[in-house]
mmCIF file of all heavy atoms in Angstrom:
data_model
loop_
_atom_site.group_PDB
_atom_site.id
_atom_site.type_symbol
_atom_site.label_atom_id
_atom_site.label_comp_id
_atom_site.label_asym_id
_atom_site.label_seq_id
_atom_site.Cartn_x
_atom_site.Cartn_y
_atom_site.Cartn_z
ATOM 1 N N TYR A 199 0.653 20.417 -25.846
ATOM 2 C CA TYR A 199 0.518 21.584 -24.978
ATOM 3 C C TYR A 199 -0.823 21.587 -24.242
ATOM 4 O O TYR A 199 -0.888 21.986 -23.079
ATOM 5 C CB TYR A 199 0.701 22.875 -25.770
ATOM 6 C CG TYR A 199 2.132 23.221 -26.104
ATOM 7 C CD1 TYR A 199 2.421 23.980 -27.231
ATOM 8 C CD2 TYR A 199 3.201 22.822 -25.301
ATOM 9 C CE1 TYR A 199 3.731 24.333 -27.542
ATOM 10 C CE2 TYR A 199 4.507 23.166 -25.604
ATOM 11 C CZ TYR A 199 4.765 23.925 -26.729
ATOM 12 O OH TYR A 199 6.065 24.282 -27.030
ATOM 13 N N VAL A 200 -1.884 21.140 -24.892
ATOM 14 C CA VAL A 200 -3.190 21.070 -24.219
ATOM 15 C C VAL A 200 -3.120 20.056 -23.082
ATOM 16 O O VAL A 200 -3.595 20.326 -21.961
ATOM 17 C CB VAL A 200 -4.325 20.733 -25.217
ATOM 18 C CG1 VAL A 200 -5.621 20.395 -24.478
ATOM 19 C CG2 VAL A 200 -4.548 21.899 -26.178
ATOM 20 N N ALA A 201 -2.505 18.898 -23.330
ATOM 21 C CA ALA A 201 -2.372 17.880 -22.274
ATOM 22 C C ALA A 201 -1.514 18.406 -21.121
ATOM 23 O O ALA A 201 -1.841 18.195 -19.946
ATOM 24 C CB ALA A 201 -1.772 16.595 -22.849
ATOM 25 N N VAL A 202 -0.427 19.109 -21.446
ATOM 26 C CA VAL A 202 0.428 19.708 -20.412
ATOM 27 C C VAL A 202 -0.380 20.711 -19.591
ATOM 28 O O VAL A 202 -0.326 20.708 -18.359
ATOM 29 C CB VAL A 202 1.668 20.394 -21.040
ATOM 30 C CG1 VAL A 202 2.355 21.310 -20.035
ATOM 31 C CG2 VAL A 202 2.646 19.360 -21.573
ATOM 32 N N ALA A 203 -1.121 21.555 -20.276
ATOM 33 C CA ALA A 203 -1.905 22.582 -19.579
ATOM 34 C C ALA A 203 -2.984 21.959 -18.702
ATOM 35 O O ALA A 203 -3.214 22.420 -17.573
ATOM 36 C CB ALA A 203 -2.517 23.554 -20.586
ATOM 37 N N ASP A 204 -3.639 20.909 -19.193
ATOM 38 C CA ASP A 204 -4.642 20.216 -18.370
ATOM 39 C C ASP A 204 -3.986 19.659 -17.107
ATOM 40 O O ASP A 204 -4.530 19.779 -16.004
ATOM 41 C CB ASP A 204 -5.302 19.072 -19.146
ATOM 42 C CG ASP A 204 -6.274 19.543 -20.211
ATOM 43 O OD1 ASP A 204 -6.701 20.724 -20.183
ATOM 44 O OD2 ASP A 204 -6.611 18.721 -21.093
ATOM 45 N N TYR A 205 -2.815 19.050 -17.279
ATOM 46 C CA TYR A 205 -2.110 18.470 -16.131
ATOM 47 C C TYR A 205 -1.711 19.564 -15.139
ATOM 48 O O TYR A 205 -1.983 19.452 -13.938
ATOM 49 C CB TYR A 205 -0.862 17.689 -16.585
ATOM 50 C CG TYR A 205 -0.157 17.077 -15.403
ATOM 51 C CD1 TYR A 205 -0.526 15.822 -14.940
ATOM 52 C CD2 TYR A 205 0.812 17.785 -14.680
ATOM 53 C CE1 TYR A 205 0.076 15.274 -13.808
ATOM 54 C CE2 TYR A 205 1.407 17.244 -13.560
ATOM 55 C CZ TYR A 205 1.039 15.988 -13.132
ATOM 56 O OH TYR A 205 1.614 15.464 -12.008
ATOM 57 N N ILE A 206 -1.064 20.593 -15.626
ATOM 58 C CA ILE A 206 -0.579 21.649 -14.729
ATOM 59 C C ILE A 206 -1.735 22.377 -14.063
ATOM 60 O O ILE A 206 -1.670 22.666 -12.863
ATOM 61 C CB ILE A 206 0.371 22.602 -15.478
ATOM 62 C CG1 ILE A 206 1.689 21.868 -15.778
ATOM 63 C CG2 ILE A 206 0.614 23.889 -14.675
ATOM 64 C CD1 ILE A 206 2.702 22.661 -16.564
ATOM 65 N N GLU A 207 -2.784 22.650 -14.811
ATOM 66 C CA GLU A 207 -3.945 23.330 -14.226
ATOM 67 C C GLU A 207 -4.502 22.518 -13.059
ATOM 68 O O GLU A 207 -4.789 23.054 -11.989
ATOM 69 C CB GLU A 207 -5.002 23.529 -15.303
ATOM 70 C CG GLU A 207 -6.228 24.273 -14.843
ATOM 71 C CD GLU A 207 -7.232 24.492 -15.965
ATOM 72 O OE1 GLU A 207 -7.015 24.008 -17.099
ATOM 73 O OE2 GLU A 207 -8.244 25.150 -15.685
ATOM 74 N N THR A 208 -4.633 21.212 -13.243
ATOM 75 C CA THR A 208 -5.163 20.343 -12.197
ATOM 76 C C THR A 208 -4.199 20.245 -11.014
ATOM 77 O O THR A 208 -4.592 20.443 -9.860
ATOM 78 C CB THR A 208 -5.459 18.943 -12.768
ATOM 79 O OG1 THR A 208 -6.435 19.076 -13.813
ATOM 80 C CG2 THR A 208 -5.982 18.002 -11.697
ATOM 81 N N SER A 209 -2.936 19.944 -11.303
ATOM 82 C CA SER A 209 -1.956 19.770 -10.217
ATOM 83 C C SER A 209 -1.689 21.057 -9.456
ATOM 84 O O SER A 209 -1.642 21.052 -8.223
ATOM 85 C CB SER A 209 -0.641 19.218 -10.779
ATOM 86 O OG SER A 209 -0.822 17.876 -11.141
ATOM 87 N N MET A 210 -1.512 22.148 -10.179
ATOM 88 C CA MET A 210 -1.238 23.409 -9.485
ATOM 89 C C MET A 210 -2.469 23.882 -8.723
ATOM 90 O O MET A 210 -2.334 24.522 -7.678
ATOM 91 C CB MET A 210 -0.747 24.477 -10.465
ATOM 92 C CG MET A 210 0.646 24.195 -11.028
ATOM 93 S SD MET A 210 1.940 23.985 -9.779
ATOM 94 C CE MET A 210 2.168 25.672 -9.229
ATOM 95 N N GLY A 211 -3.641 23.564 -9.207
ATOM 96 C CA GLY A 211 -4.855 23.884 -8.462
ATOM 97 C C GLY A 211 -4.893 23.157 -7.126
ATOM 98 O O GLY A 211 -5.221 23.734 -6.090
ATOM 99 N N ARG A 212 -4.522 21.869 -7.161
ATOM 100 C CA ARG A 212 -4.494 21.091 -5.915
ATOM 101 C C ARG A 212 -3.390 21.592 -4.982
ATOM 102 O O ARG A 212 -3.595 21.708 -3.782
ATOM 103 C CB ARG A 212 -4.294 19.608 -6.224
ATOM 104 C CG ARG A 212 -5.541 18.935 -6.762
ATOM 105 C CD ARG A 212 -5.446 17.470 -7.075
ATOM 106 N NE ARG A 212 -4.316 16.717 -6.581
ATOM 107 C CZ ARG A 212 -4.171 16.274 -5.311
ATOM 108 N NH1 ARG A 212 -5.090 16.544 -4.413
ATOM 109 N NH2 ARG A 212 -3.127 15.564 -4.959
ATOM 110 N N LEU A 213 -2.215 21.875 -5.546
ATOM 111 C CA LEU A 213 -1.121 22.370 -4.704
ATOM 112 C C LEU A 213 -1.454 23.730 -4.115
ATOM 113 O O LEU A 213 -1.109 24.019 -2.970
ATOM 114 C CB LEU A 213 0.187 22.422 -5.500
ATOM 115 C CG LEU A 213 0.751 21.059 -5.888
ATOM 116 C CD1 LEU A 213 1.969 21.221 -6.785
ATOM 117 C CD2 LEU A 213 1.088 20.230 -4.665
ATOM 118 N N HIS A 214 -2.130 24.556 -4.896
ATOM 119 C CA HIS A 214 -2.551 25.862 -4.386
ATOM 120 C C HIS A 214 -3.480 25.681 -3.189
ATOM 121 O O HIS A 214 -3.295 26.325 -2.151
ATOM 122 C CB HIS A 214 -3.255 26.659 -5.496
ATOM 123 C CG HIS A 214 -3.759 27.983 -5.033
ATOM 124 N ND1 HIS A 214 -2.948 29.085 -4.889
ATOM 125 C CD2 HIS A 214 -4.999 28.382 -4.653
ATOM 126 C CE1 HIS A 214 -3.670 30.100 -4.457
ATOM 127 N NE2 HIS A 214 -4.911 29.703 -4.298
ATOM 128 N N ALA A 215 -4.456 24.793 -3.318
ATOM 129 C CA ALA A 215 -5.394 24.536 -2.220
ATOM 130 C C ALA A 215 -4.645 24.027 -0.985
ATOM 131 O O ALA A 215 -4.948 24.440 0.147
ATOM 132 C CB ALA A 215 -6.465 23.535 -2.653
ATOM 133 N N GLN A 216 -3.652 23.151 -1.195
ATOM 134 C CA GLN A 216 -2.860 22.646 -0.074
ATOM 135 C C GLN A 216 -2.087 23.780 0.606
ATOM 136 O O GLN A 216 -2.043 23.860 1.834
ATOM 137 C CB GLN A 216 -1.882 21.570 -0.547
ATOM 138 C CG GLN A 216 -2.531 20.276 -0.947
ATOM 139 C CD GLN A 216 -1.553 19.326 -1.619
ATOM 140 O OE1 GLN A 216 -0.390 19.646 -1.848
ATOM 141 N NE2 GLN A 216 -2.036 18.140 -1.961
ATOM 142 N N ASP A 217 -1.486 24.655 -0.194
ATOM 143 C CA ASP A 217 -0.691 25.738 0.377
ATOM 144 C C ASP A 217 -1.553 26.774 1.100
ATOM 145 O O ASP A 217 -1.155 27.308 2.137
ATOM 146 C CB ASP A 217 0.163 26.412 -0.701
ATOM 147 C CG ASP A 217 1.338 25.550 -1.139
ATOM 148 O OD1 ASP A 217 1.645 24.554 -0.449
ATOM 149 O OD2 ASP A 217 1.958 25.875 -2.172
ATOM 150 N N VAL A 218 -2.738 27.040 0.561
ATOM 151 C CA VAL A 218 -3.673 27.942 1.252
ATOM 152 C C VAL A 218 -4.068 27.327 2.590
ATOM 153 O O VAL A 218 -4.073 28.002 3.630
ATOM 154 C CB VAL A 218 -4.910 28.230 0.374
ATOM 155 C CG1 VAL A 218 -6.018 28.891 1.195
ATOM 156 C CG2 VAL A 218 -4.532 29.101 -0.816
ATOM 157 N N LYS A 219 -4.367 26.032 2.562
ATOM 158 C CA LYS A 219 -4.750 25.324 3.785
ATOM 159 C C LYS A 219 -3.600 25.373 4.794
ATOM 160 O O LYS A 219 -3.818 25.581 5.990
ATOM 161 C CB LYS A 219 -5.129 23.879 3.459
ATOM 162 C CG LYS A 219 -5.945 23.201 4.530
ATOM 163 C CD LYS A 219 -6.231 21.738 4.210
ATOM 164 C CE LYS A 219 -7.092 21.528 3.007
ATOM 165 N NZ LYS A 219 -7.427 20.082 2.814
ATOM 166 N N MET A 220 -2.369 25.179 4.303
ATOM 167 C CA MET A 220 -1.205 25.231 5.191
ATOM 168 C C MET A 220 -1.109 26.598 5.874
ATOM 169 O O MET A 220 -0.931 26.681 7.086
ATOM 170 C CB MET A 220 0.092 24.951 4.424
ATOM 171 C CG MET A 220 1.340 25.062 5.309
ATOM 172 S SD MET A 220 2.887 24.750 4.434
ATOM 173 C CE MET A 220 2.962 26.162 3.353
ATOM 174 N N GLY A 221 -1.244 27.668 5.099
ATOM 175 C CA GLY A 221 -1.188 29.009 5.674
ATOM 176 C C GLY A 221 -2.271 29.223 6.712
ATOM 177 O O GLY A 221 -2.023 29.771 7.799
ATOM 178 N N ASP A 222 -3.489 28.790 6.401
ATOM 179 C CA ASP A 222 -4.603 28.921 7.350
ATOM 180 C C ASP A 222 -4.340 28.131 8.630
ATOM 181 O O ASP A 222 -4.605 28.609 9.741
ATOM 182 C CB ASP A 222 -5.913 28.449 6.716
ATOM 183 C CG ASP A 222 -6.407 29.361 5.609
ATOM 184 O OD1 ASP A 222 -5.907 30.507 5.492
ATOM 185 O OD2 ASP A 222 -7.292 28.921 4.841
ATOM 186 N N MET A 223 -3.804 26.925 8.473
ATOM 187 C CA MET A 223 -3.529 26.088 9.641
ATOM 188 C C MET A 223 -2.420 26.685 10.505
ATOM 189 O O MET A 223 -2.506 26.653 11.740
ATOM 190 C CB MET A 223 -3.162 24.672 9.189
ATOM 191 C CG MET A 223 -4.337 23.904 8.587
ATOM 192 S SD MET A 223 -3.831 22.360 7.760
ATOM 193 C CE MET A 223 -3.241 21.398 9.166
ATOM 194 N N ILE A 224 -1.402 27.237 9.882
ATOM 195 C CA ILE A 224 -0.321 27.887 10.644
ATOM 196 C C ILE A 224 -0.890 29.063 11.426
ATOM 197 O O ILE A 224 -0.614 29.219 12.617
ATOM 198 C CB ILE A 224 0.834 28.329 9.717
ATOM 199 C CG1 ILE A 224 1.599 27.104 9.199
ATOM 200 C CG2 ILE A 224 1.774 29.293 10.446
ATOM 201 C CD1 ILE A 224 2.619 27.416 8.106
ATOM 202 N N ARG A 225 -1.691 29.890 10.756
ATOM 203 C CA ARG A 225 -2.294 31.043 11.425
ATOM 204 C C ARG A 225 -3.138 30.599 12.618
ATOM 205 O O ARG A 225 -3.076 31.188 13.693
ATOM 206 C CB ARG A 225 -3.146 31.841 10.436
ATOM 207 C CG ARG A 225 -2.349 32.669 9.470
ATOM 208 C CD ARG A 225 -3.265 33.392 8.458
ATOM 209 N NE ARG A 225 -2.500 34.228 7.548
ATOM 210 C CZ ARG A 225 -2.026 33.817 6.364
ATOM 211 N NH1 ARG A 225 -2.267 32.584 5.937
ATOM 212 N NH2 ARG A 225 -1.323 34.639 5.616
ATOM 213 N N GLU A 226 -3.927 29.543 12.411
ATOM 214 C CA GLU A 226 -4.799 29.046 13.472
ATOM 215 C C GLU A 226 -3.986 28.514 14.653
ATOM 216 O O GLU A 226 -4.297 28.792 15.811
ATOM 217 C CB GLU A 226 -5.700 27.943 12.915
ATOM 218 C CG GLU A 226 -6.691 27.407 13.920
ATOM 219 C CD GLU A 226 -7.554 26.307 13.312
ATOM 220 O OE1 GLU A 226 -8.064 26.500 12.206
ATOM 221 O OE2 GLU A 226 -7.688 25.252 13.972
ATOM 222 N N LYS A 227 -2.943 27.760 14.372
ATOM 223 C CA LYS A 227 -2.148 27.161 15.440
ATOM 224 C C LYS A 227 -1.334 28.202 16.212
ATOM 225 O O LYS A 227 -1.135 28.065 17.412
ATOM 226 C CB LYS A 227 -1.227 26.074 14.884
ATOM 227 C CG LYS A 227 -2.002 24.814 14.506
ATOM 228 C CD LYS A 227 -1.080 23.724 14.058
ATOM 229 C CE LYS A 227 -1.821 22.450 13.780
ATOM 230 N NZ LYS A 227 -2.362 21.787 14.959
ATOM 231 N N LEU A 228 -0.869 29.222 15.510
ATOM 232 C CA LEU A 228 -0.062 30.244 16.186
ATOM 233 C C LEU A 228 -0.918 31.263 16.932
ATOM 234 O O LEU A 228 -0.475 31.811 17.935
ATOM 235 C CB LEU A 228 0.840 30.984 15.182
ATOM 236 C CG LEU A 228 2.039 30.217 14.662
ATOM 237 C CD1 LEU A 228 2.783 31.050 13.615
ATOM 238 C CD2 LEU A 228 2.978 29.833 15.799
ATOM 239 N N GLY A 229 -2.103 31.527 16.415
ATOM 240 C CA GLY A 229 -2.924 32.570 17.029
ATOM 241 C C GLY A 229 -2.313 33.929 16.754
ATOM 242 O O GLY A 229 -2.404 34.449 15.652
ATOM 243 N N LYS A 230 -1.621 34.468 17.746
ATOM 244 C CA LYS A 230 -0.943 35.763 17.566
ATOM 245 C C LYS A 230 0.369 35.506 16.828
ATOM 246 O O LYS A 230 1.182 34.689 17.236
ATOM 247 C CB LYS A 230 -0.679 36.397 18.928
ATOM 248 C CG LYS A 230 -0.054 37.773 18.840
ATOM 249 C CD LYS A 230 -0.075 38.453 20.193
ATOM 250 C CE LYS A 230 0.731 39.725 20.266
ATOM 251 N NZ LYS A 230 0.654 40.611 19.150
ATOM 252 N N LEU A 231 0.544 36.236 15.722
ATOM 253 C CA LEU A 231 1.737 36.057 14.893
ATOM 254 C C LEU A 231 2.847 36.999 15.324
ATOM 255 O O LEU A 231 2.599 38.187 15.551
ATOM 256 C CB LEU A 231 1.410 36.324 13.423
ATOM 257 C CG LEU A 231 0.315 35.488 12.779
ATOM 258 C CD1 LEU A 231 0.099 35.924 11.341
ATOM 259 C CD2 LEU A 231 0.645 34.015 12.847
ATOM 260 N N ASP A 232 4.064 36.470 15.422
ATOM 261 C CA ASP A 232 5.198 37.351 15.628
ATOM 262 C C ASP A 232 5.617 37.898 14.260
ATOM 263 O O ASP A 232 5.097 37.480 13.221
ATOM 264 C CB ASP A 232 6.349 36.629 16.347
ATOM 265 C CG ASP A 232 6.936 35.461 15.569
ATOM 266 O OD1 ASP A 232 6.792 35.392 14.329
ATOM 267 O OD2 ASP A 232 7.561 34.594 16.212
ATOM 268 N N ALA A 233 6.541 38.822 14.237
ATOM 269 C CA ALA A 233 6.949 39.486 12.993
ATOM 270 C C ALA A 233 7.486 38.489 11.969
ATOM 271 O O ALA A 233 7.209 38.596 10.773
ATOM 272 C CB ALA A 233 7.989 40.563 13.288
ATOM 273 N N GLN A 234 8.241 37.499 12.428
ATOM 274 C CA GLN A 234 8.838 36.517 11.529
ATOM 275 C C GLN A 234 7.765 35.644 10.872
ATOM 276 O O GLN A 234 7.794 35.411 9.660
ATOM 277 C CB GLN A 234 9.837 35.657 12.304
ATOM 278 C CG GLN A 234 10.738 34.827 11.433
ATOM 279 C CD GLN A 234 11.818 34.135 12.272
ATOM 280 O OE1 GLN A 234 11.722 34.034 13.497
ATOM 281 N NE2 GLN A 234 12.848 33.659 11.606
ATOM 282 N N ALA A 235 6.809 35.181 11.665
ATOM 283 C CA ALA A 235 5.720 34.358 11.126
ATOM 284 C C ALA A 235 4.843 35.191 10.191
ATOM 285 O O ALA A 235 4.412 34.707 9.137
ATOM 286 C CB ALA A 235 4.878 33.779 12.259
ATOM 287 N N GLU A 236 4.591 36.434 10.581
ATOM 288 C CA GLU A 236 3.788 37.325 9.745
ATOM 289 C C GLU A 236 4.437 37.515 8.372
ATOM 290 O O GLU A 236 3.777 37.442 7.331
ATOM 291 C CB GLU A 236 3.612 38.672 10.452
ATOM 292 C CG GLU A 236 2.478 39.494 9.919
ATOM 293 C CD GLU A 236 2.208 40.696 10.814
ATOM 294 O OE1 GLU A 236 1.768 40.489 11.961
ATOM 295 O OE2 GLU A 236 2.463 41.812 10.341
ATOM 296 N N GLN A 237 5.751 37.724 8.357
ATOM 297 C CA GLN A 237 6.470 37.906 7.097
ATOM 298 C C GLN A 237 6.436 36.625 6.260
ATOM 299 O O GLN A 237 6.199 36.669 5.059
ATOM 300 C CB GLN A 237 7.914 38.319 7.332
ATOM 301 C CG GLN A 237 8.697 38.486 6.037
ATOM 302 C CD GLN A 237 10.135 38.896 6.255
ATOM 303 O OE1 GLN A 237 10.511 39.352 7.329
ATOM 304 N NE2 GLN A 237 10.943 38.745 5.226
ATOM 305 N N ALA A 238 6.649 35.485 6.891
ATOM 306 C CA ALA A 238 6.638 34.207 6.174
ATOM 307 C C ALA A 238 5.278 33.974 5.521
ATOM 308 O O ALA A 238 5.200 33.560 4.352
ATOM 309 C CB ALA A 238 6.976 33.065 7.125
ATOM 310 N N LEU A 239 4.217 34.244 6.248
ATOM 311 C CA LEU A 239 2.878 34.021 5.713
ATOM 312 C C LEU A 239 2.515 35.061 4.655
ATOM 313 O O LEU A 239 1.826 34.743 3.679
ATOM 314 C CB LEU A 239 1.858 33.993 6.848
ATOM 315 C CG LEU A 239 1.999 32.759 7.748
ATOM 316 C CD1 LEU A 239 1.215 32.926 9.038
ATOM 317 C CD2 LEU A 239 1.583 31.499 7.002
ATOM 318 N N ARG A 240 2.988 36.284 4.799
ATOM 319 C CA ARG A 240 2.769 37.309 3.776
ATOM 320 C C ARG A 240 3.457 36.895 2.473
ATOM 321 O O ARG A 240 2.889 37.001 1.387
ATOM 322 C CB ARG A 240 3.271 38.672 4.260
ATOM 323 C CG ARG A 240 3.006 39.812 3.282
ATOM 324 C CD ARG A 240 3.379 41.202 3.809
ATOM 325 N NE ARG A 240 4.696 41.237 4.414
ATOM 326 C CZ ARG A 240 4.939 41.333 5.734
ATOM 327 N NH1 ARG A 240 3.933 41.408 6.582
ATOM 328 N NH2 ARG A 240 6.171 41.372 6.197
ATOM 329 N N GLU A 241 4.690 36.378 2.589
ATOM 330 C CA GLU A 241 5.416 35.921 1.403
ATOM 331 C C GLU A 241 4.709 34.730 0.751
ATOM 332 O O GLU A 241 4.645 34.638 -0.476
ATOM 333 C CB GLU A 241 6.859 35.562 1.766
ATOM 334 C CG GLU A 241 7.702 36.778 2.090
ATOM 335 C CD GLU A 241 9.078 36.436 2.663
ATOM 336 O OE1 GLU A 241 9.407 35.238 2.805
ATOM 337 O OE2 GLU A 241 9.823 37.393 2.961
#
Side-chain angles (χ1 to χ4, degrees):
Y199 283 153
V200 169
V202 165
D204 287 344
Y205 181 88
I206 289 178
E207 183 178 3
T208 300
S209 288
M210 291 304 286
R212 285 181 14 78
L213 292 175
H214 178 79
Q216 290 171 357
D217 287 347
V218 167
K219 199 184 295 185
M220 177 180 68
D222 291 346
M223 291 169 66
I224 289 171
R225 285 177 178 91
E226 183 180 313
K227 287 184 176 290
L228 286 177
K230 183 169 170 41
L231 302 178
D232 63 22
Q234 193 173 16
E236 198 170 293
Q237 179 180 344
L239 291 166
R240 183 174 47 253
E241 289 171 1

